[in-house]
Amino acid sequence: MERYKDKKWQESMRITFDFNNMMKEFIGEDQGIGRDDIKNMEEKTQDAINALKEMRASGNMVWADLPYTQEDVVAEILDTAKDIKKKFDAFVVLGIGGSALGPIAAQQALNHLRYNELSKAERGGYPRLYVLDNIDPEGINALFDVIDIEKTVFNVITKSGSTSETMSQFLIIRDLLKKKLGDSYKDHIIATTDRSKGNLIKIARDEGLKLFYIPDGVGGRFSELCPVGLLPAAVCGIDIKQMLAGAAFMDECSKEENIFKNGPYMAATLQYIAFRDGKNISVMMPYADSLKFMADWYAQLWAESLGKKMDRDGNLIYTGQTPVKALGVTDQHSQIQLYAEGPFDKVITFLTVDKYKSKVDIPHGYKDIPAVSFLGGHSLNDLIKAEGLATEYALLKAEKLNRTINLPEVNEFTLGQLLYFLELETAFMGELLNINAFDQPGVEEGKNATYALMGRPGYEGKKAELDNRPKKRDEYII
Ligand code: PA5
């Protein structure tokens, strides 16, 4: 039996949410949150619990069921990954936003931190992974300098099947492949998209490209646990069944209606109270290089889901907490000064890890210089933990709200839990704010303006609107 199916092992890998430093008892009367504040939210939190339950029961929270509904898809992904491993040296994701940030975060968390620099044998025979999530011409040409497209498979991922950035990349790659390989260009492209909407699905079907589907009702930023994230992960040897098992475990842990026993719901409730009290910024600060890009993934999830102009009743509310990415310990030397002594406008979420994959001892040296020699005999593991604790303490002393999500270790099971925890927290926060956390009208406006500027048919009206925008004044450009 795989160890992740063992209940005892699962319990030993449970991630925890520590909110002591959000509370009045610790952070002080002025800034802290009281148990009464949480109690006073009871009606609202119960409404949110009921709303999510109803949404899920009526089939409108498809992302929440992904850990349970993909047996066949997972089997197909694993077969495809096996085939890719045999034939290719590199796997390139073409995608942006929700179609890119999850694959980047999972790869960084679960594979070697210098994965692409390892030899093929050191990578266990798996291909290198690149995620092309920008359209800077220098970026794409730089990639072509380090891959052999004849030994590369490109996974074009777009839910809408029409995002300009991704479709441009697709056109460029397809053209190059066709010129080099003729009709067998098809063997080098896999499309991941909506089953019925958009242009990519039509193209993929017409041209006979290998296809994976993004299930209906799963938005980009909630899609890491479907083929969007699972295929790139499996291609690089990540155990995707274990990742899904971790997500399912967190789902089970979050069934409790008493929010004092429900991590994601309590996390959202505290953020809601803090936000109401002026904490407009949510910082995520992992103390692990492996979790560095979880902060990027979270930033999109939190920003795009919760940054909304209207509530569900059509009132203008201009809501949303601004996410900020930081990395422990690196950003102790860039941002912590502001967090400790600056305004009381933030909640800082630390991601901590009990057991790192490596241990590095610090050797003894310079016995005659006590201010250096005290480090000898410890390990970098001791040091990073001490620095995390020290930062937490400094913020506590400064009465700055902070909380900690701890992972016993970073593996597929704990990452699955973490992804699911943050998705559920975001969905719950959306309910508390009475907004639709699953749309992104602000992003659509920019996408539509791009179509108009680039001459997409059907966007002539938008083009006229853009042409009529106020002309910039030269005197303001100096
Ligand atoms: O979360 C979202 O829906 C967005 O960030 C999308 O992922 C992003 O805009 C890319 O869209 P698409 O997957 O349709 O190309």
Side-chain angles (χ1 to χ4, degrees):
M1 182 173 77
E2 293 91 341
R3 63 175 189 173
Y4 69 85
K5 291 184 180 159
D6 176 53
K7 293 265 176 261
K8 234 165 108 190
W9 186 84
Q10 290 182 346
E11 273 308 319
S12 73
M13 285 296 138
R14 184 191 276 264
I15 72 171
T16 55
F17 174 60
D18 172 355
F19 59 96
N20 278 283
N21 292 345
M22 299 290 287
M23 304 298 285
K24 277 193 169 145
E25 293 108 297
F26 291 87
I27 217 85
E29 283 295 316
D30 253 19
Q31 298 297 323
I33 294 171
R35 289 181 80 92
D36 281 358
D37 297 320
I38 300 170
K39 205 126 191 55
N40 292 340
M41 291 269 301
E42 220 163 59
E43 204 180 319
K44 206 169 171 56
T45 51
Q46 192 55 52
D47 284 350
I49 292 172
N50 295 342
L52 288 189
K53 267 207 310 221
E54 226 168 84
M55 218 188 280
R56 193 157 177 189
S58 57
N60 291 320
M61 232 164 86
V62 182
W63 59 267
D65 292 324
L66 291 173
Y68 312 102
T69 53
Q70 298 185 97
E71 210 175 308
D72 293 347
V73 182
V74 166
E76 194 185 340
I77 287 175
L78 292 175
D79 279 351
T80 308
K82 217 164 153 190
D83 202 42
I84 291 172
K85 187 179 175 190
K86 268 192 245 144
K87 297 184 191 148
F88 297 99
D89 287 342
F91 185 87
V92 177
V93 170
L94 311 176
I96 196 162
S99 299
L101 291 163
I104 295 171
Q107 173 73 356
Q108 175 83 2
L110 300 171
N111 264 330
H112 192 286
L113 290 172
R114 305 268 177 205
Y115 178 85
N116 280 350
E117 290 163 50
L118 298 177
S119 69
K120 191 160 185 181
E122 286 166 331
R123 294 194 309 270
Y126 294 103
R128 285 179 286 153
L129 176 81
Y130 298 94
V131 181
L132 207 52
D133 65 343
N134 203 353
I135 44 166
D136 182 333
E138 292 177 24
I140 196 159
N141 273 340
L143 176 68
F144 292 142
D145 286 341
V146 298
I147 57 168
D148 171 0
I149 64 165
E150 293 186 44
K151 299 288 283 171
T152 301
V153 62
F154 296 88
N155 183 197
V156 49
I157 308 179
T158 167
K159 166 84 178 166
S160 62
S162 61
T163 302
S164 303
E165 294 89 337
T166 308
M167 292 311 280
S168 309
Q169 293 169 342
F170 169 66
L171 284 168
I172 294 164
I173 300 293
R174 178 177 169 275
D175 185 59
L176 273 178
L177 287 170
K178 272 187 115 169
K179 281 182 182 143
K180 254 205 154 150
L181 304 169
D183 213 33
S184 57
Y185 79 94
K186 291 176 195 162
D187 304 336
H188 292 251
I189 302 180
I190 298 174
T192 304
T193 191
D194 191 273
R195 200 176 282 275
S196 54
K197 287 184 232 113
N199 307 310
L200 186 61
I201 186 69
K202 293 186 209 98
I203 294 170
R205 285 199 177 123
D206 282 355
E207 300 189 11
L209 303 179
K210 171 87 190 144
L211 257 168
F212 284 97
Y213 300 109
I214 305 175
D216 254 0
V218 176
R221 55 197 178 273
F222 288 84
S223 68
E224 172 53 19
L225 296 171
C226 81
V228 169
L230 297 181
L231 178 63
V235 162
C236 296
I238 289 169
D239 182 350
I240 58 173
K241 287 187 181 170
Q242 189 178 150
M243 235 167 107
L244 290 169
F249 182 75
M250 179 49 66
D251 182 34
E252 276 310 307
C253 296
S254 318
K255 290 272 185 313
E256 179 63 63
E257 294 209 358
N258 171 359
I259 66 160
F260 276 89
K261 295 195 158 85
N262 187 319
Y265 290 179
M266 178 55 96
T269 304
L270 293 168
Q271 280 288 28
Y272 178 84
I273 297 170
F275 179 51
R276 198 185 57 193
D277 295 348
K279 313 296 186 270
N280 294 316
I281 297 170
S282 169
V283 179
M284 178 168 278
M285 189 164 187
Y287 268 75
D289 282 348
S290 62
L291 296 174
K292 178 176 179 178
F293 294 118
M294 273 306 294
D296 289 55
W297 177 82
Y298 164 78
Q300 188 218 7
L301 181 71
W302 202 247
E304 226 170 72
S305 303
L306 305 174
K308 296 287 152 70
K309 181 160 111 177
M310 302 276 197
D311 69 10
R312 283 215 181 92
D313 305 316
N315 302 307
L316 277 175
I317 52 165
Y318 296 106
T319 195
Q321 221 182 9
T322 302
V324 170
K325 310 173 271 186
L327 179 67
V329 302
T330 309
D331 288 310
Q332 283 178 204
H333 298 270
S334 90
Q335 300 181 30
I336 286 295
Q337 170 61 30
L338 171 71
Y339 300 169
E341 294 200 346
F344 291 90
D345 59 356
K346 299 172 195 70
V347 174
I348 292 117
T349 304
F350 297 112
L351 299 182
T352 56
V353 177
D354 283 338
K355 191 166 165 243
Y356 292 82
K357 287 173 201 130
S358 298
K359 180 162 184 276
V360 176
D361 293 324
I362 307 171
H364 291 284
Y366 300 104
K367 281 219 168 64
D368 51 329
I369 314 177
V372 175
S373 65
F374 77 97
L375 292 166
H378 291 291
S379 63
L380 289 183
N381 307 57
D382 299 336
L383 184 58
I384 194 168
K385 277 190 189 160
E387 294 207 23
L389 269 176
T391 304
E392 187 195 24
Y393 176 67
L395 292 180
L396 173 71
K397 254 185 106 174
E399 297 179 29
K400 296 294 168 35
L401 295 184
N402 66 89
R403 50 198 210 147
T404 298
I405 300 175
N406 183 61
L407 285 69
E409 59 185 47
V410 181
N411 59 35
E412 283 90 339
F413 192 75
T414 55
L415 188 79
Q417 288 181 65
L418 182 60
L419 291 162
Y420 203 88
F421 181 109
L422 295 170
E423 288 180 354
L424 205 51
E425 180 190 5
T426 305
F428 200 72
M429 182 73 164
E431 290 309 311
L432 296 176
L433 291 168
N434 188 29
I435 52 143
N436 180 355
F438 305 105
D439 65 359
Q440 55 284 324
V443 179
E444 303 306 335
E445 180 60 39
K447 281 190 179 185
N448 292 338
T450 303
Y451 295 147
L453 288 169
M454 297 297 284
R456 179 171 166 179
Y459 289 79
E460 295 76 11
K462 184 57 75 186
K463 176 75 171 57
E465 184 189 312
L466 274 152
D467 288 345
N468 282 331
R469 71 191 186 280
K471 294 275 167 281
K472 287 192 173 172
R473 293 173 69 155
D474 284 346
E475 63 183 308
Y476 293 159
I477 304 174
I478 51 175

